[in-house]
Every structure is written in structure tokens, then in C-alpha cells.
Amino acid sequence: MVFGIISAAVHVAAGAVLGQLLGGIVGLLVGAGFGLLVGGVFGWAIASARVYGADPRGVFLFVVDHTWSLLNTLVGALYLAVHLVFGHSLDRGSSQHSCRVNVVEGVSPRYATTLGTVCAGSGPGIQRHEDVHIFQARLLGPLYIPLVVANYVLFTIAPVWLLYHDHTGAPINRFTRYFEIGVYPHVWNEAIAYRIQGTPPR
């Protein structure tokens, strides 16, 4: 319960500060309201699923997620809220003391997707892969999302990955495969995660 309340308060404060920077007093109020809405949902989720344990690891990762990696946590909180709006449900069993929020349903039946500390559609066969993304975000903090986005943009418009791509095993023979088989598994964060667990799409 305490973690949930603190988390919601941090989201409100972050929303208020960002709102004030963008739009003065009106921005502050709008940002605080948005932070309360999204942070309230996230705070409820981490409290009800007991995501963070009271042990040193749980406390440490909670602090990291709400300071250095706050940008990732904010994005993950918004991601969670959207999932819940669409009727998706928390996987409380796999979330408990895991320091991540698992959502049962994913964006796509073929892939799990992780933003911040929120994993959607994951399972035992790919959870280590998704945990790598959470570690990457915690390690790089506010740099993580910009670096991932920059790599996607770079590899989309300048596909240097074609130089080392497995053209025989995973041919790029139609437009959608350019992104699914080409760009996606070659961006740095996915390439590292697939080395640890999982098989890139073919």
C-alpha cells in the first residue's frame, strides 16, 4: 500500500513539474491531474499485486524506478492504463515481488511488449527477454527511450543491418517483413535481449 501511495504522489509531482514547464499554472494543474490519473492506476496496480517487496532489492528497485528511471516508469504507467481501459487484466501471481507489472493480454498475440516496468503478454518462455528490457531501462534511465527510438529511426531509413542479416534463414521478401524481420530484431535493445532468451522472428 505504501509503495502505491508514494508512486502515485511521484507521478502527480512529475506531471505537475512537466506541465508547469510546458504551460505555466494551467499546465501545472493539467499535468498534476494527468499524473494523478495515470499514477493512481499504476499505484493501485503495484499495491494490489504487491509488485515490490519490502526487502532491500524491492526497496532499491522501487527507488530506481521512481528517480533515475522515472521517465520509463511514467511511460509504463500510461501503457498500463491503456491496457486496463481495453479490459486487460493484471497477472498478480507473476507480478508479486517481481518488481514489474505483468498484464495477461498483450498488444499482439505473437509478441510480448514491455514499456518501463510493465510487461504485456509475457510468459515463462520469454519473461527473461522482457526482464532484459526492464534492466536496460533501469540502467540507462532517461536515455533509454531516446536511444531505442533513435535506433529504430536509423535502422528504418539506413538499414545497415542488411550487411549482417541472415538473408537465407529470414528473407526480407515483402514490406511488412522489412520491419518485423529486419528492423525490429536488429535494434540494439532487442538484439541484446534475444541473445539472452528467445528466437528472433523468421
Side-chain angles (χ1 to χ4, degrees):
M1 178 66 91
V2 173
F3 284 132
I5 293 169
I6 295 171
S7 180
V10 169
H11 281 79
V12 171
V17 169
L18 182 60
Q20 184 174 31
L21 291 173
L22 296 175
I25 189 69
V26 173
L28 182 147
L29 295 173
V30 171
F34 185 76
L36 179 61
L37 180 65
V38 173
V41 169
F42 188 75
W44 163 79
I46 66 172
S48 67
R50 294 183 287 177
V51 168
Y52 296 94
D55 58 311
R57 175 180 176 269
V59 172
F60 173 73
L61 291 178
F62 178 85
V63 170
V64 169
D65 291 341
H66 289 81
T67 54
W68 171 245
S69 191
L70 180 59
L71 174 61
N72 303 306
T73 302
L74 292 170
V75 171
L78 179 58
Y79 181 55
L80 173 64
V82 171
H83 272 283
L84 296 178
V85 164
F86 279 93
H88 296 176
S89 53
L90 292 177
D91 185 345
R92 288 180 171 82
S94 66
S95 297
Q96 185 175 353
H97 295 171
S98 65
C99 299
R100 62 174 138 67
V101 177
N102 279 358
V103 178
V104 175
E105 302 85 357
V107 175
S108 160
R110 292 190 61 196
Y111 299 104
T113 308
T114 297
L115 293 177
T117 59
V118 179
C119 300
S122 189
I126 197 68
Q127 189 61 62
R128 280 182 58 223
H129 175 107
E130 299 307 315
D131 287 344
V132 170
H133 295 319
I134 295 174
F135 174 77
Q136 292 165 339
R138 285 171 171 156
L139 181 66
L140 296 173
L143 302 175
Y144 176 69
I145 292 174
L147 287 172
V148 170
V149 170
N151 197 181
Y152 269 101
V153 171
L154 175 65
F155 277 13
T156 298
I157 62 176
V160 295
W161 49 267
L162 284 169
L163 298 173
Y164 53 88
H165 178 73
D166 178 8
H167 294 279
T168 304
I172 311 279
N173 50 21
R174 60 181 185 272
F175 183 72
T176 54
R177 287 179 65 83
Y178 178 83
F179 294 98
E180 185 179 9
I181 310 301
V183 175
Y184 159 72
H186 289 100
V187 292
W188 70 269
N189 65 315
E190 292 297 344
I192 291 170
Y194 275 119
R195 285 180 183 271
I196 291 172
Q197 185 187 43
T199 303
R202 298 258 172 207

